[in-house]
Amino acid sequence: MNKFDYLIPTSIQEAISLHESHGEQSNYIAGGTDVMVKIKQGKINPLVLISLTRLKGLDHIIYEKGELRIGAMVTHRMLELSPVIRKEFPILIDAVENIGSVQVRNVATIGGNIVNGVPSADGAIPLLTLGAQVRTVGPEGERTVALEDFFVGAGKTCLKSGEILSEFVVPELPAHSGAAYWKHTRRGAMELAILGVGVLISLKDDMKTCAEARIGLGVLAPTPMRAKKAEAILKGKKVDEETLKEAGSTAAQECKARDSIRGKAWYRRGMVELFVRRMGTVAMERAS
Amino acid sequence: MKNISVTFTLNGDLVTAEVPPNWTLLKTLREYFELTGPKEGCGVGECGACTVIMDGDAINSCIYPIPEVEGKTVTTIEGVADKDGTLHPLQKAFLENNGVQCGFCTSGMIMSAKALLDQNSEPTEDQIRTSIAGNLCRCTGYVQIVDSIEKAAEMIKEKK
Amino acid sequence: MSDLLYVGKNVPRTIEVDKVTGRAIYINDLKRPGMLYGKILYSKYAHARIKNVDISKAEKLPGVRAVLSGYNIPDVRVGFLKDQTVLKKGIVRQFRDEVAAVAAISEEIAEEALGLIEVEYEELPAVFDPIEAMKEGATLVHEVDVRGKPVTSNIIPLPWKFKAGDIEQGQKDSAYVVKDSLTTTWINQCCMGTSGCVAEFDMNNNLTLYNQTNVPFLDKQRIVEYFAGIGLKGQNVRVVNVTVGGSFGTKLDTDIYEFISIQLALKTRKPVKVLFNREEEFQALPPRQPARFTIEQGCDKEGRLTFRKSEAILDNGAYTSWGVTTPSVMMMPMSSLYRVPNVSFEATCVYTNNIYCQAMRGYGNPQATFAVEVSMDRLAEKAGIDPAELRLINSNQSGDITPMRLKITSCGLEECINSVKKKLDWGGKKKKQKSRGVGMASLIHVAGGARVYLSDGHGMMIKIDQNGHVDVLESGTDQGQGSPTVISQIIAEALGFKPEDISLTFGDTGLCLWDAGTHASRHTFMAGNAAIRACEKAKRQILEIAVEKIPGLIKGNFKRKKRKDPDFVEPDLDYNLISGPEKLDIRDRMVFPKAAPDHPYFKFEVSDILRSGLHVGVGESKVVVADAFYDPPTENLDREMKGNLSLTYAFGATGVEVEVDEETGKVKILNLFAAHDVGKAINPTLVKGQIYGAAYMGAGYALTEEMLVENGRVMNPNFRDYKMLTAKDIIPVDPILIETDEKDGPFGAKGIGEPGLVPTAPAIANAIYDAIGVRINDLPITPEKIITALKEKKKQN
């Protein structure tokens, strides 16, 4: 493995100024399950790693007045075991309990998962579906970006040099909302998804008509994406087998599925169609 | 690249490792402390042969940076039996129920199981399988490993 | 058989306690004084001319002790057909071709040095499809053969042609005939411990190779031959295994990395470890042999098989290892699975620029049985006969001599098929459920040794010390299957000792007698039979000592009793009871007269006997040592590929119930019943362990595992993308042990290591057909293939 120095700052400001002084040769590291692997595989070659593990105020899970705030350094295992997440945001549980293995989840952070920027990020799709926002802090101060706008290309985010992702904020969801996520894999564990589908449905007071729908897709485009056309299909309509089917086929058309060693585009499109329908049904059940 | 100094508790003893900062916990355990129980099966956190318990949680030591271990508590397979050599119920159960064949995955497998049983003394089969989902085994088909862990849980229960 | 104390019991693997405490030393853990680390530089192209290799920069890197290339080591050819050199010179023919090697004081420095080796290539057109490679005018992978004569074809001249009976007549006699094409692909053995070895020369140029081989004596022999070519003729070679992290066929050959570590050790005069990382394990280790079959089978109106005709094309890759010999094993199911009078099988092996292959559990049998058993199901359907019934109609029977001249001794095939039928509720479930189905397949495999070489011998030596501790020098090897425990049980039973009295050393060529290899599921059978014979000799020696010494021991006892109690009267004893060794026996470490097992004076602890035999004072002292070299009365295959190469055969049947999600194409295995004729289960828990592991491997083979090789390059060289099953992939496996008590097996036992895997994939494929009415003849049966097949079916309807 390449030689690098390992720095462990104890405040965000210290971390940012360390990054400023080392510049392009440095890399932030959270749990390390992505960064360490990338270094071992020669994909990145930093001379300095700046750890985020001792920074304070980044490991909270707060659900207050309908708004959910998750610190970037929260591990997937913390999310998996959080009673409030399990009760109020089961779509996140759908995702995190299927990430890697217990060993990985104990260490890997939700922030690191999103910053890694890969289209298969299981943490990203549910957050995208929930309409999350990302808060960052960097040399130029703090800013908030919609998660939708956070991913700019395969493996690329809009994080500026030196910026640290600090928190996810899920604004209060509309009334009667339910959401579900499906990770499609070949085996029962240790899988990078063939594709991921997250569906959120908010019902009108009649509990049958869709007030708003959000559909997040993973591994079906260079970045995690929202299937806006498919969402529009559901909006204002009665949610039933037929509308879900239509939404599914629209999502299949608007996604940019590609061939890779993990799956072929035609199969992915077929599964998008199927799982928009299946997850839409689960989302409906959870909304009730 | 200068060596760094990392002090932590290893198998019950307070220790200090003087190693390059780019070493992983696995490399430190195997080469600095000569604990060859944790194994490198893939080096990238995909097989679990390197699993150790840190502050009560199972982790893949092959991708865990050694500087992060400062102040933590680490247990490897070498620290599972009692100091007088009495085997832990998991170790006994694996031998009695054929949970070990070639044994390469065994160190990591027992650590994952121990992390589970330390936190949950009456796991369901599903919980057992989830706890070892990140430990690959080619020999056993996992069946007798699950058996072994169930029997160990019973043994622990009886002891109490 | 009188009541057995250890054989047939679930004796725990206590002898292997080091594996659960982290103390067992695998090749990864082995350190020798002054040891260096070796790393290999692989080719950048699938097919290219090497124009230049510049090692000068690498040699200068501090910490580097040797840099080798094809240009600074002798050109000696190695391999099954001697078609490659250790380091490549002139031409590279596959991506994993070894172009250079470095030994350095640390792994990191060795890696860095690899990056400093500059190789200039001129890329050549390559051929990756065996069908293309067979065509005239195809790029030649080898331009000359091993003797230097020009070659005009990529087809390898190997004798894989089998014929028995009259195929044409068989076709004429058929009321129903089916013809199918099936393919299987590259599968990685996925041993959790990666490949590697440590080579160490002494100052007299004798080599010790710390290894993980299945075939220590063959390994040694190949190295001895190699030595002759590199100026080390007459030097000794000792092959010694460390704890092995799995084999599954990867360690039957002497791999290039072994020769590389030897060359590096020779050059540096230091021990050198070459150890594969996981990526190398996927890219540079020969995997399972892929095969493309066409198979035609027929039966008469009553369902009796009339003929079986099959051809196979094997992608041999760039060089030759054991993969290309798998047809010799494929002939076994082709000719002898079920009673079939007329058989022909032909295999064509073709060089390509893909990776070459070696053995993997089953060694061609899983591939061929997939073809035979899917074809059987198709034939059953065509003939309107239930598939289980068709198998029973044609079941092998004890006493049969098959077209390959295999002599069937014990045969539990019918029982296996029937028990699987019952467990599956065959009648109730076949063709009756939507999206769910049942299917089955059977197997035949060698289980009493396998005469692959001119000798199928297996040697064992035992010595017993004065305390009654037994040291066993066992020429087989342990890859984790449980041999230390099983062989201890057999020896304890045969000697009358306890398993904990026994220590074993496996596969050290410096200590043990010869063995053909721990392969072909032969270890328990061969070691058990050798053990029984050696123990007979050892027991006799102990009992002869007993006959000689017991009277004196008793006299001594009586003297002591008289001293303590002057009124003691010596009883009148019938010394006739112990007058000859045939009148005595040993059980539970006690020597006793057979006619009076609880005799108050003639029963002695075996250690007392042994001590008295050794510490004699006056006269000739004795130690107990016995050996046996067991070579079963079997035959090599003759020119027609016929011969009874094993003393007995394993049979079994696997029945599977699956549920298919017709929308996603994913297959769930609801039940898997594996019935195996094991002769006698020496240790039922361990036997079941083999079956569980093999069933999982078989399920992976059927549904998820494949090496994705594109233009010669392995595209998924890691556990993330090579889909080996995890603990969350739950398959309810129910092993059923059928004991037919094989008379030639040790305590009746037969082999089980490979049989567990063989019928799994076709059973699953047949069950999928029952569930959704589509056949996928191309392993693995992925969701994509199922969806595609279902779409096709819909179109046709």
Side-chain angles (χ1 to χ4, degrees):
Chain A
M1 186 142 74
N2 312 328
K3 300 187 177 26
F4 52 76
D5 275 319
Y6 201 95
L7 309 174
I8 309 185
T10 50
S11 77
I12 293 181
Q13 285 315 310
E14 194 191 341
I16 291 172
S17 61
L18 281 174
H19 195 279
E20 270 188 304
S21 46
H22 293 279
E24 286 312 299
Q25 300 181 324
S26 64
N27 229 88
Y28 288 124
I29 179 169
T33 54
D34 284 322
V35 171
M36 293 296 277
V37 173
K38 277 177 164 166
I39 292 175
K40 279 190 173 197
Q41 292 174 336
K43 291 186 180 150
I44 58 175
N45 200 349
L47 296 178
V48 176
L49 287 179
I50 301 169
S51 167
L52 303 176
T53 59
R54 311 283 162 134
L55 303 185
K56 296 185 187 45
L58 296 180
D59 60 356
H60 52 274
I61 301 175
I62 298 173
Y63 183 53
E64 235 171 25
K65 301 197 182 91
E67 180 188 79
L68 175 68
R69 288 168 44 219
I70 305 174
M73 290 300 286
V74 167
T75 64
H76 294 100
R77 190 73 173 150
M78 283 163 69
L79 286 171
E80 194 182 349
L81 299 174
S82 156
V84 72
I85 299 284
R86 198 163 280 270
K87 180 156 179 275
E88 309 291 343
F89 298 93
I91 184 179
L92 278 171
I93 301 293
D94 293 341
V96 300
E97 69 183 4
N98 285 305
I99 288 178
S101 61
V102 167
Q103 291 95 314
V104 169
R105 300 201 284 281
N106 276 331
V107 168
T109 63
I110 185 81
N113 191 245
I114 270 70
V115 165
N116 199 29
V118 292
S120 55
D122 289 306
I125 312 306
L127 287 171
L128 194 66
T129 311
L130 291 169
Q133 292 175 320
V134 171
R135 289 214 179 115
T136 67
V137 57
E140 290 162 32
E142 295 186 6
R143 61 186 182 119
T144 304
V145 180
L147 186 58
E148 262 183 82
D149 303 324
F150 189 72
F151 302 105
V152 298
K156 292 202 193 73
T157 68
C158 70
L159 268 186
K160 300 197 187 115
S161 174
E163 268 192 316
I164 297 171
L165 194 164
S166 59
E167 188 180 52
F168 296 97
V169 179
V170 177
E172 189 173 2
L173 296 174
H176 314 303
S177 289
Y181 174 73
W182 178 262
K183 176 177 181 170
H184 199 55
T185 61
R186 295 187 196 281
R187 296 181 295 189
M190 296 302 295
E191 290 283 79
L192 232 68
I194 304 174
L195 61 121
V197 174
V199 179
L200 180 144
I201 295 189
S202 306
L203 296 170
K204 293 195 174 148
D205 287 332
D206 68 355
M207 301 300 281
K208 287 200 193 114
T209 318
C210 171
E212 193 188 332
R214 298 181 205 160
I215 299 174
L217 302 178
V219 205
L220 291 157
T223 68
M225 63 173 276
R226 288 267 297 269
K228 295 266 164 80
K229 292 194 189 127
E231 293 172 4
I233 300 273
L234 287 168
K235 188 170 176 140
K237 298 225 188 64
K238 182 160 168 261
V239 182
D240 59 18
E241 178 94 23
E242 224 185 281
T243 46
L244 283 176
K245 232 177 162 182
E246 208 191 327
S249 67
T250 309
Q253 280 166 42
E254 78 179 291
C255 80
K256 303 185 202 86
R258 63 208 157 91
D259 290 340
S260 81
I261 56 166
R262 271 167 222 128
K264 289 272 189 320
W266 70 263
Y267 181 70
R268 286 174 157 141
R269 278 192 291 269
M271 293 304 103
V272 170
E273 203 175 318
L274 176 66
F275 285 106
V276 163
R277 176 164 44 95
R278 286 190 182 177
M279 289 304 103
T281 310
V282 178
M284 274 287 281
E285 287 164 19
R286 288 178 176 172
S288 320
Chain B
M1 205 177 47
K2 249 175 62 176
N3 279 0
I4 56 166
S5 189
V6 183
T7 301
F8 61 104
T9 305
L10 177 58
N11 293 334
D13 299 318
L14 192 67
V15 299
T16 300
E18 312 259 347
V19 291
N22 71 337
W23 274 30
T24 59
L25 174 57
L26 180 67
K27 197 168 163 82
T28 307
L29 291 169
R30 286 179 61 82
E31 292 184 29
Y32 189 86
F33 293 107
E34 294 184 324
L35 294 170
T36 56
K39 308 272 179 235
E40 177 164 320
C42 71
V44 287
E46 287 171 2
C47 77
C50 67
T51 306
V52 299
I53 296 178
M54 191 161 72
D55 287 353
D57 289 329
I59 61 153
N60 289 323
S61 62
C62 71
I63 49 174
Y64 201 86
I66 188 62
E68 297 285 353
V69 184
E70 176 74 34
K72 301 216 162 101
T73 302
V74 175
T75 312
T76 71
I77 187 72
E78 289 92 339
V80 168
D82 291 345
K83 290 269 185 206
D84 68 359
T86 310
L87 294 180
H88 185 279
L90 275 167
Q91 293 166 311
K92 272 205 209 92
F94 268 67
L95 289 175
E96 286 167 12
N97 297 282
N98 205 30
V100 54
Q101 288 193 29
C102 85
F104 198 84
C105 77
T106 303
S107 299
M109 194 69 75
I110 289 180
M111 297 322 286
S112 288
K114 183 168 193 298
L116 171 73
L117 294 182
D118 286 347
Q119 291 168 18
N120 176 358
S121 54
E122 289 185 51
T124 62
E125 187 185 322
D126 190 56
Q127 286 169 327
I128 291 175
R129 284 178 180 274
T130 299
S131 77
I132 58 170
N135 294 80
L136 296 180
C137 171
R138 196 51 154 167
C139 298
T140 65
Y142 307 103
V143 181
Q144 289 170 326
I145 288 179
V146 173
D147 280 349
S148 301
I149 298 172
E150 282 173 347
K151 293 263 163 42
E154 279 169 34
M155 277 192 243
I156 293 172
K157 207 165 153 206
E158 269 166 39
K159 253 194 192 170
K160 294 185 182 148
Chain C
M1 210 170 286
S2 62
D3 53 318
L4 298 167
L5 284 175
Y6 304 108
V7 166
K9 306 282 190 291
N10 296 321
V11 175
R13 293 170 80 128
T14 321
I15 199 172
E16 295 183 81
V17 66
D18 278 355
K19 287 182 179 174
V20 298
T21 53
R23 289 172 49 102
I25 302 291
Y26 296 80
I27 202 71
N28 317 54
D29 312 315
L30 181 68
K31 267 208 168 96
R32 295 289 303 158
M35 189 174 80
L36 301 172
Y37 297 85
K39 288 257 172 231
I40 302 170
L41 182 69
Y42 299 100
S43 166
K44 280 204 166 58
Y45 295 96
H47 197 199
R49 220 176 290 287
I50 301 175
K51 300 196 57 195
N52 192 41
V53 180
D54 184 354
I55 61 175
S56 55
K57 290 203 188 83
E59 281 181 309
K60 294 200 191 83
L61 185 68
V64 168
R65 297 285 181 259
V67 184
L68 303 177
S69 75
Y71 298 87
N72 64 8
I73 62 167
D75 252 1
V76 176
R77 288 169 158 264
V78 296
F80 182 67
L81 284 185
K82 302 261 185 292
D83 53 6
Q84 62 175 316
T85 55
V86 173
L87 291 175
K88 279 42 183 186
K89 194 175 168 183
I91 298 222
V92 286
R93 297 182 172 86
Q94 49 163 8
F95 270 110
R96 61 154 282 194
D97 261 5
E98 300 83 353
V99 172
V102 172
I105 58 176
S106 78
E107 279 186 78
E108 289 79 25
I109 294 176
E111 275 295 345
E112 206 186 325
L114 288 186
L116 296 173
I117 300 174
E118 292 168 349
V119 185
E120 230 182 289
Y121 297 96
E122 182 194 312
E123 203 178 349
L124 295 171
V127 59
F128 301 114
D129 180 342
I131 310 281
E132 288 303 312
M134 280 164 72
K135 291 190 180 148
E136 255 208 60
T139 307
L140 286 178
V141 179
H142 290 263
E143 298 192 351
V144 293
D145 68 13
V146 65
R147 275 160 291 171
K149 281 177 45 200
V151 151
T152 52
S153 161
N154 285 318
I155 297 176
I156 304 171
L158 286 168
W160 305 136
K161 273 192 174 67
F162 179 93
K163 197 167 101 68
D166 184 344
I167 290 289
E168 272 180 38
Q169 188 57 47
Q171 286 168 319
K172 286 196 192 112
D173 294 338
S174 306
Y176 307 100
V177 174
V178 288
K179 191 165 181 187
D180 292 278
S181 298
L182 304 106
T183 56
T184 67
T185 185
W186 294 279
I187 301 291
N188 193 279
Q189 296 85 345
C190 292
C191 304
M192 292 318 295
T194 54
S195 306
C197 62
V198 176
E200 183 172 345
F201 282 93
D202 68 12
M203 286 304 150
N204 285 328
N205 274 348
N206 297 311
L207 171 73
T208 301
L209 186 68
Y210 298 94
N211 209 354
Q212 306 184 74
T213 177
N214 281 45
V215 293
F217 298 90
L218 303 185
D219 197 33
K220 171 180 173 170
Q221 200 54 33
R222 293 180 197 129
I223 298 170
V224 162
E225 281 167 21
Y226 181 66
F227 271 17
I230 60 170
L232 291 180
K233 185 169 181 173
Q235 299 311 120
N236 190 33
V237 174
R238 180 175 178 181
V239 176
V240 161
N241 268 3
V242 293
T243 308
V244 180
S247 174
F248 308 115
T250 52
K251 285 131 181 140
L252 260 57
D253 200 350
T254 300
D255 280 89
I256 299 298
Y257 68 79
E258 294 176 62
F259 292 111
I260 287 177
S261 76
I262 290 171
Q263 280 289 349
L264 288 171
L266 192 58
K267 186 79 192 282
T268 59
R269 313 304 320 183
K270 291 263 191 279
V272 176
K273 178 191 283 193
V274 173
L275 181 67
F276 275 12
N277 59 35
R278 184 56 59 181
E279 205 176 65
E280 276 174 298
E281 192 82 356
F282 276 106
Q283 290 177 322
L285 187 74
R288 187 192 281 287
Q289 178 67 54
R292 302 182 195 197
F293 294 95
T294 49
I295 179 166
E296 200 183 331
Q297 270 193 112
C299 67
D300 62 19
K301 277 226 189 64
E302 279 76 49
R304 281 182 299 246
L305 292 173
T306 46
F307 79 98
R308 187 180 288 154
K309 179 173 184 286
S310 175
E311 296 88 34
I313 295 176
L314 270 54
D315 179 341
N316 184 59
Y319 307 102
T320 319
S321 174
W322 290 116
V324 83
T325 64
T326 52
S328 65
V329 174
M330 289 177 183
M331 289 180 195
M332 186 172 47
M334 285 292 173
S335 69
S336 308
L337 179 58
Y338 308 122
R339 285 170 156 176
V340 47
N342 305 297
V343 179
S344 94
F345 174 64
E346 203 176 308
T348 307
C349 304
V350 192
Y351 277 127
T352 66
N353 294 109
N354 285 322
I355 45 179
Y356 64 88
C357 302
Q358 65 180 324
M360 181 174 171
R361 199 174 197 174
Y363 205 106
N365 200 349
Q367 295 93 314
T369 300
F370 178 62
V372 170
E373 284 292 60
V374 169
S375 167
M376 282 292 283
D377 248 40
R378 278 252 295 133
L379 186 60
E381 191 181 40
K382 195 146 190 211
I385 300 175
D386 172 80
E389 202 47 47
L390 183 66
R391 291 174 166 90
L392 287 168
I393 290 168
N394 295 286
S395 174
N396 304 84
Q397 304 290 341
S398 285
D400 280 359
I401 297 183
T402 75
M404 197 172 158
R405 285 219 311 268
L406 308 183
K407 294 199 181 99
I408 308 301
T409 56
S410 56
C411 176
L413 182 56
E414 257 186 59
E415 213 180 323
C416 290
I417 294 175
N418 281 322
S419 79
V420 149
K421 253 184 90 176
K422 189 156 174 234
K423 293 260 178 175
L424 277 176
D425 185 15
W426 188 258
K429 291 197 171 152
K430 189 110 186 86
K431 286 205 229 172
K432 300 243 170 76
Q433 312 172 91
K434 167 113 177 75
S435 303
R436 282 193 184 186
V438 293
M440 69 161 69
S442 322
L443 79 108
I444 179 174
H445 199 73
V446 292
R451 192 169 293 272
V452 174
Y453 306 100
L454 293 171
S455 167
D456 197 23
H458 184 105
M460 180 187 283
M461 286 192 285
I462 63 175
K463 64 182 179 75
I464 306 178
D465 74 6
Q466 67 208 47
N467 302 312
H469 189 85
V470 185
D471 284 305
V472 180
L473 302 176
E474 220 305 278
S475 58
T477 64
D478 174 24
Q479 291 89 35
Q481 64 273 50
S483 311
T485 304
V486 170
I487 295 174
S488 300
Q489 287 174 255
I490 293 174
I491 291 177
E493 196 77 63
L495 270 181
F497 283 44
K498 295 184 183 201
E500 50 264 41
D501 297 329
I502 299 162
S503 299
L504 304 106
T505 300
F506 284 92
D508 181 335
T509 63
L511 297 174
C512 307
L513 293 181
W514 195 86
D515 174 40
T518 297
H519 64 145
S521 305
R522 74 196 269 284
H523 195 183
T524 300
F525 186 88
M526 303 298 291
N529 275 335
I532 289 171
R533 286 154 175 77
C535 288
E536 226 173 79
K537 294 183 192 175
K539 205 182 202 183
R540 188 165 176 101
Q541 290 173 37
I542 298 172
L543 297 179
E544 279 170 2
I545 296 174
V547 164
E548 203 190 312
K549 298 295 176 188
I550 286 182
L553 287 171
I554 291 177
K555 275 225 155 51
N557 282 347
F558 287 169
K559 256 200 189 144
R560 279 189 287 277
K561 273 210 162 106
K562 200 75 188 258
R563 239 181 273 141
K564 274 200 187 143
D565 174 18
D567 293 324
F568 175 72
V569 177
E570 272 189 34
D572 210 358
L573 298 174
D574 180 8
Y575 284 89
N576 201 34
L577 289 172
I578 56 164
S579 61
E582 68 290 347
K583 294 186 177 175
L584 300 170
D585 202 355
I586 311 175
R587 189 178 163 87
D588 221 16
R589 293 180 60 98
M590 299 298 289
V591 175
F592 61 91
K594 286 184 190 165
D598 287 304
H599 199 283
Y601 295 102
F602 288 157
K603 211 168 166 181
F604 277 91
E605 249 279 352
V606 79
S607 47
D608 289 337
I609 304 294
L610 291 162
R611 220 169 285 133
S612 72
L614 177 63
H615 296 293
V616 293
V618 177
E620 198 181 299
S621 65
K622 295 201 169 62
V623 290
V624 175
V625 55
D627 65 82
F629 187 69
Y630 173 69
D631 192 6
T634 51
E635 306 168 342
N636 279 122
L637 298 182
D638 61 20
R639 279 235 173 90
E640 298 192 330
M641 308 301 308
K642 296 172 187 167
N644 190 33
L645 72 161
S646 187
L647 202 51
T648 183
Y649 297 89
F651 291 93
T654 295
V656 181
E657 187 182 356
V658 300
E659 182 177 65
V660 183
D661 181 333
E662 296 192 43
E663 289 182 308
T664 61
K666 283 184 86 173
V667 176
K668 188 170 171 196
I669 298 178
L670 300 174
N671 278 303
L672 193 156
F673 300 104
H676 286 276
D677 166 14
V678 299
K680 167 99 188 149
I682 306 283
N683 185 322
T685 299
L686 262 51
V687 171
K688 287 181 185 168
Q690 288 300 300
I691 296 174
Y692 289 128
Y696 260 75
M697 204 181 267
Y701 186 44
L703 299 173
T704 61
E705 290 184 41
E706 57 182 329
M707 288 176 66
L708 299 166
V709 182
E710 259 169 55
N711 294 331
R713 196 194 285 277
V714 177
M715 304 302 290
N716 56 342
N718 51 60
F719 282 128
R720 188 186 51 218
D721 293 319
Y722 182 86
K723 307 294 183 183
M724 189 189 120
L725 297 181
T726 69
K728 289 285 268 185
D729 297 292
I730 302 172
I731 302 174
V733 179
D734 186 359
I736 302 150
L737 305 183
I738 307 278
E739 293 183 315
T740 51
D741 204 17
E742 166 57 43
K743 66 167 172 49
D744 289 314
F747 294 99
K750 300 204 255 194
I752 185 61
E754 292 164 290
L757 171 60
V758 173
T760 316
I764 292 172
N766 289 339
I768 290 172
Y769 179 71
D770 188 45
I772 56 175
V774 296
R775 284 202 185 279
I776 288 108
N777 286 354
D778 173 35
L779 295 181
I781 302 173
T782 60
E784 288 91 331
K785 289 177 188 168
I786 289 184
I787 298 287
T788 306
L790 285 171
K791 280 189 188 154
E792 274 303 312
K793 185 167 169 234
K794 221 173 165 187
K795 259 197 226 157
Q796 282 169 12
N797 288 355

